[in-house]
Amino acid sequence: MEKEKVILTGDRPTGKLHIGHYVGSLRRRVELQNSGEYRKIFVFEADAQALTDNIDNPEKVRQNVIEVALDYLAVGLDPQKSTIFIQSQIPELCELSFYYMDLVTVSRLQRNPTVKTEIQMRNFETSIPVGFFTYPISQAADITAFKATTVPVGEDQEPMLEQAREIVRRFNYIYGETLVEPEILLPDNAACLRLPGTDGKAKMSKSLGNCIYLSDSADEVEKKVRSMFTDPTHLRVSDPGKLEGNTVFTYLDAFCKPEHFGRYWTDYANLDEVKAHYTRGGLGDMKVKKFLAAILQEELTPIRERRKEFEKDIPAVYDMLKKGCEVARETAAQTLDEVRRAMKINYFDDAALIAEQAQRFHQ
Ligand code: TRP
């Protein structure tokens, strides 16, 4: 039987990717890619979306397009199995967005919680760029152009998916079954849903300087783990420690596997034992941090090394992206044809229409 499921997902190229991206989405993408269960996999850089709130800083987006491409290749996305492309190179997406705009109201966009928060974060309240305000519509175009069934993203993208589904339903209701309703695929582990920054703040962000990047050197990773936020009331080793809001333990929840104990910490059999000891008192932060650092190095070293290999031939990376764009464009153009037909704006490829009109005028 032909496989039916199609994956599409992407990232804004506004910075190098960090381990929050990794546990929240990238790691899963690679597993899905290698599972062989999907008919097609599209992974793209949402550079046009990145420009909606970086319009005066195109250089930042331009620089990060190659950084993110390297991060993709480094984690194991394979251009032989996944189509990797750049949003701005697919003009069909603009045309789809233009038609979808008729299916969405201003008040519906205003209610999108992610957009709401972002408007506040960027102090856009009094002067919201229209392109930024409408990016959920363009995101619906990204998803539907490729008839994606499955969109693996973080939970902050849930409102975008909901809005995309509404557009699909509305379109299909008015113009007939054309588009495919996508579903979100969230990380399966709560710690991976949103990995906090190394300072314990809710989210990793470049401006807060609390990220561990996939491209960080082993020394940088070591240093960042050593200065990580834990439980501020856990002053002496003998004090009981708290797990809640303790970044080191949140990271362990996201990264630690049973086999790590045999390799790096034979005093314990599993994470529950470590947690119990820490809560009881008598286990110092430094020991836990050392364990976390060992685990992170194990996971990040092969990524860092693969990245270094790809960095040796940057023109080849651009070439890979260009080929991906060509492949992606074919699919998007096919969907756009169907959309135009459904919307009855395909005047010149419809012989029946021309004949029918000719008849009407010559009766
Ligand atoms: N908004 C997403 C982010 O900020 C990026 C994105 C754009 C995306 N279009 C998409 C993700 C379509 C999934 C599907 O990370």
Side-chain angles (χ1 to χ4, degrees), residues 39-263:
R39 186 159 58 82
K40 281 185 186 163
I41 298 175
F42 296 96
V43 178
F44 77 108
E45 299 201 41
D47 62 336
Q49 188 178 107
L51 285 168
T52 62
D53 61 339
N54 286 285
I55 200 66
D56 51 359
N57 200 354
E59 195 54 37
K60 170 169 143 190
V61 175
R62 186 188 185 82
Q63 296 296 331
N64 283 306
V65 162
I66 186 73
E67 295 283 0
V68 170
L70 286 164
D71 287 330
Y72 282 170
L73 295 168
V75 296
L77 286 175
D78 175 356
Q80 301 295 324
K81 298 180 186 159
S82 301
T83 302
I84 304 173
F85 68 97
I86 306 175
Q87 187 185 30
S88 63
Q89 306 307 300
I90 317 296
E92 286 77 8
L93 298 177
C94 300
E95 193 172 332
L96 280 177
S97 304
F98 189 65
Y99 301 135
Y100 294 172
M101 283 189 187
D102 300 332
L103 305 174
V104 180
T105 63
V106 170
S107 64
R108 177 64 184 87
L109 282 171
Q110 278 165 334
R111 266 187 286 123
N112 184 310
T114 301
V115 175
K116 254 193 191 163
T117 331
E118 285 176 321
I119 286 173
Q120 277 165 9
M121 268 164 39
R122 289 166 180 70
N123 298 319
F124 274 166
E125 284 93 340
T126 50
S127 56
I128 308 169
V130 173
F132 179 80
F133 183 62
T134 56
Y135 92 72
I137 300 176
S138 115
Q139 191 154 336
D142 301 336
I143 296 168
T144 55
F146 301 94
K147 301 221 165 107
T149 55
T150 313
V151 182
V153 280
E155 62 175 343
D156 62 321
Q157 297 298 304
E158 187 108 59
M160 305 302 158
L161 265 290
E162 191 49 46
Q163 205 146 23
R165 275 194 296 272
E166 283 175 32
I167 290 173
V168 168
R169 286 199 286 263
R170 189 108 204 274
F171 188 101
N172 288 348
Y173 177 74
I174 300 173
Y175 304 115
E177 280 301 313
T178 312
L179 302 173
V180 175
E181 232 180 278
E183 54 182 50
I184 193 167
L185 187 62
L186 292 168
D188 39 21
N189 163 337
C192 298
L193 269 178
R194 178 162 295 189
L195 201 69
T198 52
D199 56 358
K201 295 239 168 68
K203 208 178 168 181
M204 283 202 181
S205 112
K206 193 174 165 195
S207 51
L208 293 173
N210 61 0
C211 308
I212 297 178
Y213 293 100
L214 295 173
S215 49
D216 276 351
S217 70
D219 277 356
E220 283 166 317
V221 173
E222 209 71 41
K223 227 185 283 160
K224 288 178 183 179
V225 173
R226 228 180 296 129
S227 62
M228 208 174 239
F229 179 82
T230 57
D231 168 9
T233 65
H234 186 234
L235 298 173
R236 275 171 307 234
V237 171
S238 56
D239 289 340
K242 267 206 307 287
L243 304 174
E244 219 200 355
N246 189 320
T247 319
V248 175
F249 281 94
T250 312
Y251 280 35
L252 284 175
D253 282 332
F255 283 96
C256 181
K257 290 184 250 164
E259 60 264 31
H260 289 139
F261 289 91
R263 289 207 276 278

